[in-house]
């Protein structure tokens, strides 16, 4: 005897919803507002940062494709480095290819800034502000380190595939030739593409189940 169609469809629909929700959560990327509501600020009168940034970082989980959002102003800088020695010295080295400097050189003192920094390399990433005399902001606590996990890998927006190889055009005097076929490359890590593909498989499975019940 066949099962009643309505309860069965409700069960399948619930399963579909749970699968989509789980897939979306697994492939999601996150924005982390550095310091939470305190932002990325330093009090030059007390020589203290607005919050304990190391404690804030320890409360977060970071993955490739996430962004750090620095809500700050031009009185501070945002330095990202993969060089622990640079981090410990509290001094940015412009010649270091593994060090990136944001928010420096602004002509307006105290100008509001929002600095988004993508996480694109697995492992330890270091952040600090080298503003102030002798890097005082960094030495007084305006610094933190994070360990970036692979997670779902980089999303397509941060992991563009290389351009296709150059192909010589056919000789106009030769016989007609078929144009070269360029195979699209799948971005590493899956990202949003993998999420859509997983949901599509579930939807097709749901449709097949309905056909079997006819």
């Amino acid at each position: 005897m066949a099962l009643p169609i309505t309860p069965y469809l409700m069960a399948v629909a619930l399963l579909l919803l749970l699968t989509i929700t789980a897939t979306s959560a697994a492939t999601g990327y996150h924005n982390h507002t550095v310091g939470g509501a305190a932002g990325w600020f330093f009090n030059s009168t007390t020589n203290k940062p607005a919050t304990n940034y190391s404690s804030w970082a320890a409360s977060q989980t970071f993955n490739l494709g996430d962004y750090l959002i620095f809500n700050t102003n031009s009185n501070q800088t945002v330095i990202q480095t993969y060089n622990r020695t640079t981090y410990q010295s509290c001094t940015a080295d412009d010649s270091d290819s593994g060090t990136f400097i944001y928010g420096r050189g602004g002509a307006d003192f105290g100008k509001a800034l929002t600095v988004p920094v993508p996480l694109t390399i697995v492992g330890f990433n270091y952040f600090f502000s080298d503003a102030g005399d002798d890097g005082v902001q960094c030495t007084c606590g305006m610094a933190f380190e994070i360990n970036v996990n692979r997670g779902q890998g980089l999303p397509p927006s941060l992991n563009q595939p290389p351009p296709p190889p150059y192909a010589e055009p056919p000789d106009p005097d030769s016989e007609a030739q078929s144009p070269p076929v360029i195979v699209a490359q799948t971005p590493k890590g899956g990202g949003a593409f993998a999420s859509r593909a997983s949901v599509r498989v579930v939807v097709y499975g749901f449709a097949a189940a309905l056909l079997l019940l006819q």
Side-chain angles (χ1 to χ4, degrees):
M1 180 177 180
L3 291 174
I5 188 69
T6 301
Y8 186 74
L9 284 178
M10 290 178 61
V12 173
L14 178 60
L15 177 62
L16 175 63
L17 177 61
L18 292 175
T19 302
I20 293 174
T21 302
T23 302
S24 176
T27 58
Y29 299 96
H30 302 282
N31 291 339
H32 305 268
T33 301
V34 176
W40 182 247
F41 292 98
F42 187 82
N43 188 322
S44 58
T45 301
T46 61
N47 277 350
K48 290 183 178 180
T51 190
N52 187 319
Y53 295 104
S54 293
S55 295
W56 170 83
S59 70
Q60 309 287 310
T61 299
F62 303 96
N63 295 306
L64 285 179
D66 288 356
Y67 273 81
L68 299 188
I69 308 298
F70 291 81
N71 291 325
T72 184
N73 63 34
S74 54
N75 299 358
Q76 294 76 217
T77 60
V78 177
I79 312 297
Q80 178 188 24
T81 185
Y82 307 112
N83 188 325
R84 186 171 182 83
T85 300
T86 297
Y87 171 68
Q88 291 176 331
S89 71
C90 287
T91 303
D93 183 355
D94 293 335
S95 64
D96 183 358
S97 61
T99 298
F100 304 90
I101 303 170
Y102 306 86
R104 176 189 283 179
D108 298 328
F109 190 75
K111 182 179 179 179
L113 299 172
T114 296
V115 180
V117 179
L119 302 179
T120 60
I121 294 183
V122 170
F124 285 102
N125 289 228
Y126 306 97
F127 298 87
F128 64 94
S129 173
D130 69 344
D133 295 334
D134 298 322
V136 64
Q137 293 188 1
C138 174
T139 57
C140 288
M142 201 164 187
F144 63 94
E145 65 179 67
I146 64 175
N147 192 7
V148 179
N149 303 306
R150 178 165 182 77
Q152 297 297 309
L154 290 175
S157 60
L158 294 176
N159 188 29
Q160 297 296 330
Y166 174 75
E168 288 287 349
D171 186 344
D173 297 330
S174 65
E175 296 181 359
Q177 301 180 30
S178 298
V181 177
I182 299 173
V183 179
Q185 301 181 33
T186 302
K188 297 177 181 178
F193 175 84
S195 175
R196 290 194 294 272
S198 299
V199 172
R200 195 174 296 124
V201 168
V202 174
V203 171
Y204 289 165
F206 176 56
L210 288 180
L211 289 176
L212 291 175
L213 292 172
Q214 296 298 321

